[in-house]
C-alpha cells in the first residue's frame, strides 16, 4: 500500500454547540484531496481523537470515505492505550473498507519496549490484511518507541511504516538504516520534513497541508526528482507557518487559521481552548505574509 507523499492529519470540524460538523468534514476532506493531499488521516491527535466518541469517529470515517472516494486514501486513527480496544476499533475500520490504520504508542500507562512490541504485534495479527502505520510521539505519550523495536515490528508484513515525531534525526536514521526500503518513514513534524527526507523519509503526515498542501507536495516531489534547491526554498518559505501552527497546542492554531480562511470548523473541545490574542496576531501575520488570507 502506497499512501503517497503528503498525508493530512485532518481536523475534526465542530458546530457552534460542540457537535461534530459532518457536512464541513465532507467539504474539507474533498478540498484537501484536491489540493495536494494523497491520504487523509482521520481521528488522529489533530482530529481531537481524545475527546471524540467511537460512534463519532466511525461516522467520520464513513463521511470522509464517501467524500474522497477515488481521490485520496483514508487512514483511520484507531490507536489506544488499551490493546483490546485498539484491536476492536481497527477491526471495525478494516470492515469499513478504509485503507489503513494509524496506531499511536500507548499513552499514560508507559509500557516497556517489550510491551510496545506485543501491543502492535497483537493489533497486526488481528487484522493481518490491513496496513498499519506506527505513530511515535513521546512528547504526548510519555514513552519513546525505540528504533530497535521499530525494526522488529517492521518484520511484520502488515506494519508498513511509521509516523516519526520524536524530533530525533538520529533515531529516524537508525530506523531507515535497519528497515527495508519499502517500510515508509513519515515526518510527524512539518518543520522536519526536509531534514527527514534527507535521511530517507518518504514524506510527511502534516498539519500545515490544510493550508499549503499543494506546496508541500511540490516540495517533496522536487526533492525526490533531485531539485533539492527548489525543495529547500519551499521549506524555508513555509517554515514560519510550520512554527506558527505550533505556537500553542495542536490543533488549536490550525483550526484558528482555517476559521480565518472562512472554514466553519468551530473551536476545539475542552480541555483544549481558543488561542490567545497574541497567538492569533502572530498567526494572522504569517498567513498574510504567505498570501493565505
Amino acid at each position: 500500500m502506497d499512501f503517497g507523499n503528503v498525508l493530512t492529519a485532518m481536523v475534526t470540524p465542530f458546530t457552534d454547540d460542540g457537535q461534530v460538523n459532518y457536512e464541513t468534514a465532507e467539504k474539507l476532506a474533498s478540498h484537501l484531496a484536491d489540493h495536494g493531499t494523497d491520504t487523509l488521516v482521520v481521528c488522529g491527535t489533530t482530529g481531537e481523537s481524545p475527546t471524540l466518541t467511537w460512534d463519532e469517529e466511525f461516522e467520520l470515517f464513513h463521511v470522509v470515505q464517501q467524500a474522497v472516494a477515488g481521490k485520496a486514501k483514508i487512514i483511520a486513527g484507531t490507536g489506544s492505550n488499551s490493546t483490546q480496544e485498539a484491536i476492536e476499533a481497527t477491526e471495525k475500520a478494516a470492515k469499513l473498507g478504509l485503507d489503513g490504520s494509524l496506531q499511536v504508542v500507548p499513552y499514560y500507562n508507559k509500557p516497556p519496549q517489550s510491551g510496545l512490541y506485543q501491543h502492535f504485534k497483537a493489533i497486526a495479527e488481528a487484522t493481518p490484511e490491513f496496513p498499519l502505520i506506527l505513530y511515535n510521539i513521546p512528547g504526548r505519550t510519555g514513552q519513546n518507541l525505540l528504533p530497535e523495536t521499530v525494526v522488529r515490528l517492521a518484520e511484520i508484513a502488515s506494519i508498513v511504516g511509521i509516523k516519526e515525531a520524536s524530533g530525533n534525526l538520529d533515531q529516524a536514521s537508525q530506523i531507515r538504516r535497519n528497515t527495508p526500503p519499502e517500510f515508509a518513514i513519515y515526518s510527524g513534524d512539518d518543520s522536519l520534513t526536509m531534514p527527514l527526507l534527507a535521511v530517507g523519509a518518504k514524506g510527511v503526515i502534516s498539519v500545515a497541508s490544510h493550508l499549503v498542501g499543494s506546496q508541500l507536495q511540490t516540495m517533496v516531489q522536487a526533492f525526490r526528482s533531485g531539485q533539492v534547491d527548489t525543495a529547500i526554498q519551499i521549506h524555508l518559505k513555509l517554515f514560519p507557518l510550520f512554527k506558527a501552527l505550533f505556537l500553542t497546542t495542536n490543533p488549536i492554531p490550525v483550526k484558528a487559521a482555517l476559521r480565518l480562511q472562512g472554514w466553519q470548523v468551530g473551536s476545539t473541545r475542552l480541555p483544549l481552548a481558543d488561542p490567545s490574542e497574541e497567538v492569533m496576531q502572530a498567526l494572522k501575520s504569517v498567513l498574510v505574509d504567505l498570501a493565505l488570507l
Side-chain angles (χ1 to χ4, degrees):
M1 176 63 70
D2 185 354
F3 291 110
N5 301 324
V6 178
L7 290 68
T8 296
M10 183 175 148
V11 303
T12 297
F14 296 122
T15 61
D16 291 341
D17 61 356
Q19 302 302 306
V20 175
N21 189 332
Y22 297 106
E23 181 179 354
T24 296
E26 183 178 11
K27 292 176 181 177
L28 180 61
S30 180
H31 170 82
L32 294 171
D34 290 336
H35 292 83
T37 293
D38 298 308
T39 297
L40 291 162
V41 179
V42 182
C43 300
T45 308
T46 307
E48 300 181 68
S49 58
T51 57
L52 294 174
T53 68
W54 284 115
D55 286 343
E56 289 173 327
E57 293 196 17
F58 285 105
E59 181 61 22
L60 275 167
F61 297 153
H62 175 71
V63 166
V64 173
Q65 183 182 38
Q66 297 300 310
V68 301
K71 296 198 297 182
K73 295 182 175 69
I74 301 173
I75 290 174
T78 55
S80 173
N81 61 348
S82 162
T83 304
Q84 187 56 43
E85 186 174 81
I87 288 172
E88 291 171 2
T90 305
E91 287 176 332
K92 189 171 180 180
K95 289 176 182 176
L96 287 175
L98 305 181
D99 298 292
S101 169
L102 185 71
Q103 294 291 332
V104 69
V105 167
Y107 36 87
Y108 189 75
N109 42 21
K110 206 171 183 180
Q113 296 300 307
S114 58
L116 293 175
Y117 177 80
Q118 293 297 333
H119 169 81
F120 292 119
K121 180 174 180 283
I123 300 166
E125 288 179 343
T127 55
E129 304 301 320
F130 197 52
L132 307 183
I133 293 180
L134 309 172
Y135 180 15
N136 186 37
I137 183 163
R140 284 186 182 260
T141 64
Q143 184 63 295
N144 186 21
L145 184 63
L146 295 177
E148 50 265 37
T149 307
V150 176
V151 171
R152 289 181 67 201
L153 288 166
E155 296 173 357
I156 300 171
S158 63
I159 298 180
V160 300
I162 185 169
K163 178 182 179 181
E164 176 50 48
S166 68
N168 187 329
L169 294 180
D170 284 353
Q171 182 156 309
S173 295
Q174 286 179 268
I175 294 169
R176 181 71 294 155
R177 186 173 185 271
N178 294 293
T179 54
E182 61 269 19
F183 184 79
I185 300 173
Y186 287 100
S187 174
D189 301 288
D190 281 297
S191 63
L192 293 181
T193 303
M194 271 295 298
L196 281 169
L197 287 172
V199 297
K202 181 175 178 60
V204 59
I205 298 181
S206 174
V207 175
S209 54
H210 285 89
L211 310 167
V212 291
S214 295
Q215 293 181 63
L216 288 174
Q217 185 68 245
T218 300
M219 182 185 80
V220 176
Q221 291 184 11
F223 182 90
R224 293 201 169 284
S225 65
Q227 301 175 60
V228 177
D229 287 344
T230 298
I232 292 172
Q233 289 171 11
I234 296 171
H235 166 75
L236 294 177
K237 174 187 174 184
L238 299 180
F239 185 73
L241 176 65
F242 300 156
K243 304 309 289 186
L245 291 176
F246 286 85
L247 286 169
T248 186
T249 306
N250 176 56
I252 295 171
V254 69
K255 291 191 90 171
L258 287 167
R259 290 196 301 273
L260 289 171
Q261 288 189 331
W263 285 97
Q264 302 299 310
V265 294
S267 298
T268 50
R269 279 182 173 172
L270 289 172
L272 298 184
D274 287 339
S276 67
E277 186 58 32
E278 181 181 8
V279 168
M280 284 299 299
Q281 289 304 319
L283 187 59
K284 285 180 184 177
S285 177
V286 171
L287 295 176
V288 169
D289 286 347
L290 291 173
L292 296 172
L293 282 184

